Amino acid sequence: MAILVTGGTGYIGSHTVVELLNLNKEVVVLDNFVNSSPEVVGKIKKITGKEFKFYELDLLDKEKLQKVFEENNITEVIHFAGLKAVGESVKKPLEYYSNNIIGTLILLEVMRKYNCKKIIFSSSATVYGDQGVPKYVETMERGKTTNPYGTTKSMIEKILEDLYISDKEWGIVLLRYFNPVGAHESGLIGDNPNGIPNNLMPFVQKVATGKLPELSIYGNDYPTKDGTGVRDYIHVVDLAKGHINAIEKLNKEQTGVYIYNLGTGTGYSVLDIVNTFEKVNNIKIPYKIAPRRAGDLPELYADPTKAKEELNWVATKNLEDMCRDSWNFAQKQNK
Ligand code: NAD
Ligand code: UD1
């Protein structure tokens, strides 16, 4: 009775594996290290003091994936593995569609073959597109996506819904994450993208460590409280815990398709992030105001009510925790 975690050495996956191991769950992890490093395996063991099986493999390698199911009694899958850089996906659409879509299709075929029909999928608030209002609720239809990355998320949600229509034995949870930030309090695991980061918090971390000279704030003329963009930042440990509640939900219901936003329900501006980071860490973040970034929305945040009512899950960590833990992790990195 093991839970397979694909992409389990990545940012959100590694924090979820920690939470699963802390609950004494049997966990099998796979990753091809396209966006993470083998050291994370040892770091997870160090944090938890627990052992787990790890397979270095690419989801596109169907034969090797079948071996994982042959060698273990996998009862549920949490599927994180995918490429996630929005800008890169515009430049490399074939790589993104191939890795994310074909990787998921192969995973689902193998799961079906081994009669494992419970899956939790890492989706994103990006599938809502522009709804014209800032607060996103699960009853809204999927919207128009603006880049291949977002389109893969939307397509995989649809594939999973169609799969359930064809075979009512499947149990599927689609988790729509808002903006994950922060790191495990040990500072051993966190978000450490290669190169110049696209996302706000990793960029702030690099400015704080002096690796980058200043932050560019993309626009201060949005119709928001201080003119800068507003998002729903969620601590990655809260997010990881949401997967535990999702597994419990699947095991209670057994079958069906369930969709949940995982966010705090509170929007913070770019300036809120900068000011809080400076205050709790006692460090200056130099910034300049730059033009708006193409494709950005002024303001978006989750309606987290459904996750509270049906999963009994709420985010507990605040913006200060997020900024403190991000900085603690960043200081322990060499890049
Ligand atoms: P990440 O890149 O840190 O983790 C993904 C992991 O999957 C990496 O370790 C990578 O090496 C692995 N991987 C990718 N393709 C693979 C393949 N074909 N075979 C095996 N392993 C493969 O990303 P993350 O931030 O932890 O995100 C996890 C999931 O959540 C992704 O699907 C992502 O799209 C989704 N998501 C992330 C965010 C975010 O802001 N971080 C927001 C919404 C949704
Ligand atoms: C971005 C992606 C989204 C993806 C999400 C999580 C785009 C258009 N959207 O969302 O599809 O699901 O990341 O990976 O890329 N900001 C700055 N300066 C920076 C970086 C960001 O001012 O250097 C601002 C942005 O304008 C935005 C906020 O900070 O207002 C958050 O940006 P970011 O972390 O990139 O997340 P999203 O834009 O929400």
Side-chain angles (χ1 to χ4, degrees):
M1 299 266 286
I3 300 166
L4 174 66
V5 182
T6 77
T9 50
Y11 174 43
I12 306 168
S14 58
H15 288 83
T16 303
V17 173
V18 166
E19 295 304 322
L20 289 165
L21 293 172
N22 282 343
L23 291 171
N24 295 317
K25 303 278 186 200
E26 191 184 339
V27 182
V28 174
V29 176
L30 73 81
D31 206 296
N32 67 353
F33 299 129
V34 67
N35 198 39
S36 57
S37 90
E39 290 156 29
V40 175
V41 175
K43 288 179 175 173
I44 295 171
K45 291 181 180 172
K46 190 169 174 195
I47 290 170
T48 60
K50 305 262 168 65
E51 288 297 318
F52 61 90
K53 252 197 210 176
F54 177 80
Y55 291 84
E56 180 174 351
L57 75 81
D58 193 317
L59 271 187
L60 290 135
D61 187 337
K62 192 171 183 175
E63 279 182 16
K64 269 199 188 164
L65 184 61
Q66 291 186 154
K67 272 198 89 194
V68 176
F69 280 79
E70 258 155 41
E71 291 173 4
N72 303 279
N73 178 18
I74 310 283
T75 45
E76 299 97 5
V77 175
I78 310 182
H79 179 33
F80 294 102
L83 297 174
K84 64 158 183 177
V86 171
E88 186 184 61
S89 80
V90 176
K91 294 192 189 104
K92 297 181 172 176
L94 298 185
E95 285 81 354
Y96 270 68
Y97 286 116
S98 166
N99 190 74
N100 293 4
I101 305 279
I102 300 178
T104 302
L105 290 175
I106 289 174
L107 173 67
L108 294 171
E109 281 169 8
V110 173
M111 287 177 68
R112 182 175 60 185
K113 179 170 173 190
Y114 290 88
N115 202 30
C116 168
K117 294 186 175 176
K118 290 200 187 84
I119 184 166
I120 294 172
F121 173 61
S122 297
S123 190
S124 165
T126 198
V127 302
Y128 287 109
D130 184 358
Q131 297 280 341
V133 289
K135 187 160 144 179
Y136 289 174
V137 58
E138 295 89 341
T139 47
M140 290 168 168
E141 296 283 318
R142 279 186 290 269
K144 194 170 171 296
T145 50
T146 51
N147 54 73
Y149 163 73
T151 308
T152 67
K153 292 291 168 198
S154 202
M155 287 171 78
I156 294 169
E157 284 201 356
K158 182 75 182 135
I159 288 166
L160 287 165
E161 288 172 350
D162 286 344
L163 182 60
Y164 177 71
I165 290 169
S166 76
D167 177 356
K168 300 282 190 300
E169 286 181 5
W170 282 85
I172 296 163
V173 180
L174 309 177
L175 296 178
R176 293 177 177 164
Y177 310 152
F178 280 69
N179 291 57
V181 295
H184 189 264
E185 60 180 6
S186 64
L188 288 173
I189 52 173
D191 195 10
N192 193 16
N194 289 323
I196 296 179
N198 290 307
N199 294 120
L200 179 62
M201 190 61 90
F203 203 104
V204 169
Q205 289 170 201
K206 293 236 159 154
V207 174
T209 51
K211 303 250 158 42
L212 291 169
E214 64 181 354
L215 170 72
S216 292
I217 295 185
Y218 298 141
N220 67 347
D221 56 353
Y222 284 110
T224 58
K225 61 175 183 173
D226 60 24
T228 66
V230 168
R231 296 290 183 273
D232 186 335
Y233 298 94
I234 171 168
H235 197 293
V236 66
V237 172
D238 277 332
L239 189 66
K241 288 181 175 163
H243 295 74
I244 309 292
N245 298 49
I247 293 250
E248 282 166 6
K249 174 77 178 172
L250 266 188
N251 286 325
K252 184 171 145 228
E253 305 288 347
Q254 292 293 322
T255 63
V257 181
Y258 305 89
I259 305 181
Y260 299 103
N261 287 340
L262 292 185
T264 65
T266 304
Y268 288 108
S269 71
V270 180
L271 281 173
D272 286 333
I273 300 286
V274 171
N275 293 335
T276 308
F277 196 98
E278 288 186 334
K279 190 183 85 188
V280 299
N281 298 319
N282 195 22
I283 191 163
K284 204 87 206 116
I285 303 295
Y287 68 82
K288 67 172 183 207
I289 304 299
R292 292 180 178 193
R293 181 173 66 179
D296 272 357
L297 293 172
E299 180 169 14
L300 63 96
Y301 51 88
D303 180 338
T305 313
K306 194 177 172 207
K308 184 178 179 191
E309 288 178 355
E310 295 188 15
L311 296 182
N312 197 22
W313 173 90
V314 284
T316 58
K317 291 180 184 280
N318 62 27
L319 191 56
E320 297 195 349
D321 300 324
M322 301 179 210
C323 291
R324 196 185 44 246
D325 292 342
S326 293
W327 178 225
N328 179 40
F329 170 72
Q331 283 173 295
K332 293 191 168 142
Q333 305 308 300
N334 298 319
K335 58 176 190 171

